[in-house]
Amino acid sequence: MEKKRIADILRNSNPDETVTIQGWVRTKRELKGFSFMEVNDGSFLANLQVVIDSDFPNYEEILKQLNIGSSVRVSGVLVESQGKGQRLEIKPQDIEIFGDSDPETYPLQKKRHSFEFLRTLGHLRSRTNTLGAVFRVRNACADAVHRFFQERGFLWIHTPLITANDCEGAGELFRVTNFDLTNPPKTKSGDIDYTQDFFGKPAYLTVSGQLEAEVMAMSFQDVYTFGPTFRAENSNTSRHLAEFWMIEPEMAFCDLEGDMDLAEAFLKYIFQAVLDQCPEDMEFFNKRIDKTVLETADNIINNEFARISYTEAVNLLEKSSRKFEYPVEWGLDLQSEHERYLAEEHFKKPVIVTDYPTAIKAFYMRLNEDQNTVAAMDVLAPKVGEIIGGSQREERLEVLDRRIEEAEMPLEELWWYRDLRRYGTVPHAGFGLGFERVVQFMTGMSNIRDVIPFPRTPQNAEF
Ligand code: 4AD
Ligand code: MG
């Protein structure tokens, strides 16, 4: 008897086939003469219905234990379902119960729970329809990320999580230390003596793998990282996490144009892959979470993204009749309300904004000829706002040094980064895609805490 996943059975199997499934009971209904039980194994949105006749051996006793949340293995024959909503059901020959579950205290009852409440059940919420669908889509996205780059000959590189540099220069770093914080070693002048710390100097959790990706791009041309990044920004919003996953491609011999082309092709590829791999889950989101999800996916795949400069974006915002909370003025960063206006209302599709003012962007971005702007690009998406941030990098040592000094970054610490400009420097570019933001965009989930299994946010590291 073959052990099968429910997704495989409901998609591909036929009546009369004998199968074994295992999973968790979602519902049980006792009727006269027989009972229904629905089992879910996480592979599929739909449950597989098990119809148990009352002449099943130990019927009464087994039924008593088959409660919502309990774990079972069922072997039996597939039959065409009489009921609506499913093609096949299973007539059991053998039912094995692994762990029962008290229906009185099991926190996930058959009614709808709020996502906020489900966040307090981080250990159980992935057994619900919505979170189950989210994490299958998340998996399909991750798979698509690797396929996209591997098909194009990019090397997957692993950048460190512990680093001594602040790539974005925003100071939003979590410190890594093994000091006894109640009594750290001090220097003669009374400062904390980091030479005695584990790494011999201050160290942090990385905010981005970019600088190390640039190193690897200088020997492999096209590389990408895909891993967790950490930011100690105290942002309690529906789009920020303290720990999030980022995909960062880096390409040697590439300019901003090539960077934008890759970003656009990448997003289209991921959307198509998820539609192909998880059609039932995407239908579910479209029906239950956000009625525009499928239309949006279609729109992404089949339309070119808009491309405008920051200066044009500011002009558009100034001309719009919309009242914004934050001021719009050349030189100020775009706020999420501005980003969403551009993508959601003006263009009604993703828009790539380029050439931001030098003063509001990171030190590594390539200075444009006008000296006032840098070769940056942000991809803004309807509903989520900034989904990708990228740039062409400064490959000229003198210019880079000036920018490092202006940003008050430690020139000596970046000796290896500067060396790349000294030995075989080349125009290069890359970007970072916020993985959770793309899952949010795709599923229509309104809070980023519901698209990562174990969200880390200010005041919260439970589970
Ligand atoms: O724009 P960011 O800060 O860019 C970088 O880190 C560059 N080093 C990337 C590169 O060029 N290699 O971040 C990139 C993306 C953002 O566009 C956003 O989607 C996501 O990362 N992001 C966050 N996602 C969730 N929570 C947060 N706190 C995030 N901060 C950024
Ligand atoms: Mg950014």
Side-chain angles (χ1 to χ4, degrees):
M1 220 176 298
E2 204 191 338
K3 198 166 72 192
K4 277 199 166 178
R5 301 232 191 254
I6 290 172
D8 186 20
I9 292 173
L10 290 179
R11 279 183 180 141
N12 308 319
S13 288
N14 293 309
D16 299 331
E17 208 177 297
T18 303
V19 295
T20 296
I21 58 155
Q22 45 202 15
W24 291 265
V25 176
R26 283 284 178 91
T27 63
K28 176 182 73 170
R29 267 182 306 150
E30 293 179 56
L31 300 172
K32 237 201 182 129
F34 63 98
S35 293
F36 290 119
M37 145 173 97
E38 292 194 49
V39 177
N40 193 287
D41 68 357
S43 65
F44 205 54
L45 184 69
N47 306 317
L48 187 60
Q49 181 160 279
V50 185
V51 186
I52 316 164
D53 272 326
S54 58
D55 57 12
F56 194 84
N58 294 327
Y59 182 72
E60 299 292 332
E61 197 181 315
I62 280 186
L63 226 60
K64 235 186 272 157
Q65 292 176 68
L66 287 177
N67 287 311
I68 182 167
S70 58
S71 46
V72 291
R73 178 185 289 152
V74 179
S75 301
V77 183
L78 294 174
V79 293
E80 244 168 80
S81 180
Q82 310 292 309
K84 271 200 228 128
Q86 68 272 327
R87 192 170 63 86
L88 294 167
E89 58 192 30
I90 182 168
K91 217 173 145 25
Q93 289 157 346
D94 187 48
I95 298 178
E96 190 180 342
I97 298 161
F98 288 82
D100 59 6
S101 163
D102 178 2
E104 299 297 317
T105 59
Y106 186 61
L108 295 174
Q109 295 300 325
K110 221 188 116 49
K111 60 170 196 183
R112 245 194 193 197
H113 297 293
S114 73
F115 291 126
E116 206 169 13
F117 172 70
L118 289 175
R119 266 172 240 143
T120 67
L121 300 173
H123 59 310
L124 295 171
R125 66 174 185 164
S126 46
R127 298 188 194 180
T128 62
N129 283 339
T130 307
L131 276 294
V134 165
F135 298 135
R136 278 187 299 275
V137 163
R138 187 180 165 105
N139 169 69
C141 279
D143 177 53
V145 165
H146 287 299
R147 276 190 293 129
F148 176 84
F149 288 117
Q150 295 295 328
E151 280 170 14
R152 282 162 183 74
F154 281 61
L155 210 70
W156 181 22
I157 52 151
H158 304 98
T159 49
L161 298 191
I162 298 174
T163 112
N165 64 65
D166 178 7
C167 171
E168 295 305 302
E172 295 162 338
L173 301 161
F174 287 105
R175 194 177 282 281
V176 177
T177 177
N178 71 341
F179 275 161
D180 170 1
L181 291 183
T182 59
N183 187 24
K186 299 270 173 65
T187 60
K188 282 204 182 84
S189 57
D191 298 327
I192 294 177
D193 183 6
Y194 287 105
T195 62
Q196 293 188 53
D197 202 352
F198 190 89
F199 298 103
K201 60 177 171 180
Y204 313 92
L205 292 178
T206 189
V207 296
S208 159
Q210 179 194 321
L211 303 189
E212 291 89 355
E214 283 186 57
V215 168
M216 299 301 271
M218 293 302 124
S219 29
F220 299 104
Q221 298 190 55
D222 297 330
V223 301
Y224 69 106
T225 70
F226 183 4
T229 48
F230 308 86
R231 299 203 182 172
E233 52 186 331
N234 202 355
S235 301
N236 250 310
T237 80
S238 58
R239 301 175 312 115
H240 287 91
L241 291 165
E243 175 179 294
F244 65 97
W245 287 62
M246 185 152 58
I247 297 119
E248 297 182 275
E250 192 68 35
M251 296 166 285
F253 309 98
C254 181
D255 60 11
L256 193 66
E257 193 77 18
D259 202 30
M260 288 193 278
D261 291 344
L262 187 83
E264 182 166 345
F266 184 39
L267 282 176
K268 288 182 151 80
Y269 186 99
I270 298 180
F271 267 86
Q272 185 64 58
V274 170
L275 286 182
D276 292 345
Q277 217 169 311
C278 306
E280 300 84 1
D281 293 322
M282 289 301 289
E283 286 280 348
F284 172 82
F285 290 118
N286 200 60
K287 214 157 115 194
R288 292 295 189 79
I289 302 296
D290 175 350
K291 301 227 168 345
T292 64
V293 155
L294 289 177
E295 189 190 316
T296 302
D298 192 63
N299 189 354
I300 298 286
I301 294 165
N302 294 305
N303 286 305
E304 278 182 16
F305 294 5
R307 297 185 184 192
I308 56 169
S309 70
Y310 165 88
T311 304
E312 287 166 315
V314 168
N315 284 340
L316 278 176
L317 291 165
E318 280 174 341
K319 271 193 265 155
S320 99
S321 52
R322 171 67 88 81
K323 287 274 160 290
F324 296 110
E325 196 182 326
Y326 290 90
V328 176
E329 191 189 309
W330 202 99
L332 298 180
D333 207 357
L334 300 181
Q335 299 296 320
S336 114
E337 56 171 347
H338 307 136
E339 297 175 339
R340 289 185 58 171
Y341 171 82
L342 291 170
E344 228 162 285
E345 293 178 44
H346 187 84
F347 289 103
K348 298 189 166 52
K349 59 181 181 181
V351 48
I352 311 184
V353 180
T354 61
D355 305 297
Y356 283 74
T358 312
I360 58 171
K361 287 292 185 186
F363 76 96
Y364 53 70
M365 297 190 182
R366 190 177 198 277
L367 195 62
N368 286 329
E369 262 172 44
D370 64 17
Q371 306 285 314
N372 295 321
T373 60
V374 284
M377 65 106 179
D378 277 5
V379 181
L380 314 180
K383 296 201 186 101
V384 283
E386 182 192 334
I387 190 164
I388 285 179
S391 68
Q392 187 172 334
R393 321 304 190 190
E394 185 53 74
E395 86 283 14
R396 300 160 296 187
L397 184 61
E398 337 72 73
V399 187
L400 180 69
D401 281 353
R402 218 166 59 228
R403 298 272 286 126
I404 291 176
E405 270 162 18
E406 279 164 14
E408 292 173 18
M409 307 269 295
L411 202 68
E412 330 72 60
E413 294 257 328
L414 288 168
W415 64 272
W416 50 276
Y417 189 72
R418 298 173 59 242
D419 255 9
L420 300 176
R421 277 72 183 164
R422 202 175 274 132
Y423 307 115
T425 192
V426 16
H428 62 291
F431 63 78
L433 168 69
F435 188 56
E436 284 73 24
R437 296 226 179 134
V438 81
V439 179
Q440 248 193 305
F441 186 28
M442 199 162 295
T443 58
M445 294 296 288
S446 58
N447 198 312
I448 199 165
R449 294 167 175 84
D450 301 325
V451 298
I452 185 167
F454 305 103
R456 298 291 177 250
T457 51
Q459 299 295 313
N460 173 45
E462 186 76 2
F463 308 108

